[in-house]
Amino acid sequence: MAPTSPTKVIYDTDPGVDDAMALYFALAHPAIEVVGITTTFGNVTVEQATTNALYLTALAGREIPVTMGVATPWHKAPEKPPAHIHGADGLGNLGARRKFGNLADPRASAQFIVDMARAHPGEITLVAVGPLGNLSLALMIEPQLPTLLREVIVMGGTVSEPGNVSPVAEANIWNDPHAADRVFTAGWKLTMVGLDVTHRVVVLLSLFKRVADKHRHPATDTLHRAVEFYAKFYSGLYQHIADTPGCYAHDLLAFIYLVDPGLFEIDTKVVRVATDGLAQGQTIMNQRDFIDYPHTGWGKDKPRTQVCMQVDATACVQLFEDTMMADWLPA
Ligand code: BDR
Ligand code: CA
């Protein structure tokens, strides 16, 4: 069988420790070609997110365009970045960094997404693992974006699993619920990889050590150090992680879905986002779509989202380890 060419991906991200692990998985996996990285506020400010994206790509010896995106949510007041989870620098407080000369592409992230989608119609998959302001803005610049992109995969939201920033809300959606609702109703091929599955997959710190020991490379050393910090946050919250240190693989699972969707069970339903009040940031899935609800927000015209509800956790972790252990870094 002729080898298929890798999927072109724009990675919309707020690095972020799990964002970094997802990026390195994407760079390591032969079925993925990262053609651009667009940054957003979230785990850190958008300036720090951009610095981190440039740093992580340079460390891994890759030249990939990085653009800076939105700095604040659409409507709600910005929150302080969660330094206790990802570190004040977003990468577990690395301290002194190596010096590289790579600079950001001057375009805004939303414009970059539009330019790339127009240049490669139907070819680009957008993997978004932060608040969704860049995608929302790109939709305003180019209303045809849903037909120009191949598909959109979002790490965010939750249906049955409790939230991580409120009893019902996941952080990426909570950070910009108005942008998220726009994304969930835009009409593209959309997959939601939320806490229903990411809270089922723990990647152990010992795996990152094995990867670092194998490669002895600044990129995997940096990732291992960042995850050490991140794992401490989860150890403080959950006994099973305190017993065997590790972390949830949130953003990573968006890429695992891309390369092996068969590892997930999907429910395809309308999803809307609560934008205000106590439920702000909640992703609500219409589970009874045979009912004609009088509320206009749930009409039959609303586009559906593929929602990941179950996952084969063991297979995901194995895929991650196999991919990271392969030779993907320059000497
Ligand atoms: C999501 O929030 C961020 O902290 C992580 O990077 C991930 O994208 C998990 O809720
Ligand atoms: Ca993220």
Side-chain angles (χ1 to χ4, degrees), residues 39-63:
T39 66
T40 166
F41 78 94
N43 293 324
V44 283
T45 64
V46 71
E47 289 81 9
Q48 186 66 44
T50 309
T51 300
N52 290 350
L54 288 165
Y55 189 64
L56 291 164
T57 49
L59 269 184
R62 299 295 186 98
E63 280 179 35

Side-chain angles (χ1 to χ4, degrees), residues 18-19 43 86 129 155 164 170-172 250-251:
D18 60 317
D19 305 68
N43 293 324
H86 294 269
V129 300
M155 188 281 129
N164 58 4
E170 181 282 327
N172 289 338
H250 298 297
D251 295 347

Side-chain angles (χ1 to χ4, degrees), residues 5-313:
S5 47
T7 303
K8 289 184 174 45
V9 169
I10 294 178
Y11 184 41
D12 191 54
T13 176
D14 57 337
V17 179
D18 60 317
D19 305 68
M21 93 182 55
L23 172 65
Y24 281 172
F25 174 81
L27 297 184
H29 201 288
I32 300 172
E33 179 191 2
V34 181
V35 296
I37 301 177
T38 54
T39 66
T40 166
F41 78 94
N43 293 324
V44 283
T45 64
V46 71
E47 289 81 9
Q48 186 66 44
T50 309
T51 300
N52 290 350
L54 288 165
Y55 189 64
L56 291 164
T57 49
L59 269 184
R62 299 295 186 98
E63 280 179 35
I64 298 170
V66 173
T67 62
M68 186 149 77
V70 295
T72 56
W74 256 21
H75 290 300
K76 69 185 274 188
E79 315 261 337
K80 259 185 98 153
H84 61 298
I85 305 176
H86 294 269
D89 68 350
L91 295 177
N93 296 332
L94 291 179
R97 294 186 179 199
R98 289 163 184 251
K99 299 268 179 282
F100 296 105
N102 57 337
L103 295 173
D105 179 301
R107 282 172 286 181
S109 289
Q111 189 61 53
F112 178 82
I113 291 168
V114 169
D115 290 350
M116 291 293 282
R118 285 176 179 157
H120 306 276
E123 281 184 47
I124 292 180
T125 295
L126 202 309
V127 175
V129 300
L132 294 167
N134 290 333
L135 266 185
S136 179
L137 189 54
L139 279 166
M140 286 188 229
I141 299 171
E142 174 51 277
Q144 296 307 314
L145 198 59
T147 59
L148 292 171
L149 288 175
R150 174 168 156 166
E151 66 175 307
V152 176
I153 302 171
V154 165
M155 188 281 129
T158 188
V159 174
S160 302
E161 175 75 0
N164 58 4
V165 286
S166 86
V168 293
E170 181 282 327
N172 289 338
I173 307 301
W174 160 270
N175 268 323
D176 197 341
H178 295 87
D181 194 50
R182 180 82 186 86
V183 167
F184 279 98
T185 52
W188 31 35
K189 181 179 177 198
L190 176 66
T191 303
M192 171 177 138
V193 182
L195 302 183
D196 300 294
V197 287
T198 70
H199 275 186
R200 303 280 91 75
V201 184
V202 177
V203 188
L204 299 184
L205 183 58
S206 54
L207 188 161
F208 291 92
K209 179 164 186 329
R210 282 201 297 285
V211 170
D213 287 347
K214 153 93 202 278
H215 291 293
R216 301 195 172 281
H217 190 281
T220 43
D221 287 348
T222 299
L223 183 62
H224 178 217
R225 279 190 51 198
V227 173
E228 264 179 317
F229 182 95
Y230 192 51
K232 285 196 189 110
F233 166 73
Y234 283 111
S235 293
L237 274 188
Y238 300 104
Q239 190 56 48
H240 66 289
I241 299 186
D243 293 343
T244 327
C247 59
Y248 290 133
H250 298 297
D251 295 347
L252 169 64
L253 283 203
F255 280 115
I256 298 225
Y257 175 81
L258 172 65
V259 296
D260 198 346
L263 299 181
F264 297 78
E265 274 178 35
I266 305 289
D267 214 345
T268 304
K269 298 269 172 15
V270 174
V271 174
R272 298 294 310 264
V273 179
T275 50
D276 300 290
L278 210 51
Q280 185 184 89
Q282 181 176 11
T283 41
I284 306 163
M285 182 170 87
N286 182 7
Q287 311 209 30
R288 301 222 163 130
D289 49 8
F290 50 88
I291 295 177
D292 267 329
Y293 290 117
H295 190 303
T296 51
W298 299 100
K300 299 250 183 284
D301 57 321
K302 293 283 176 274
R304 289 165 178 245
T305 298
Q306 300 192 136
V307 182
C308 294
M309 296 301 294
Q310 305 279 347
V311 62
D312 181 340

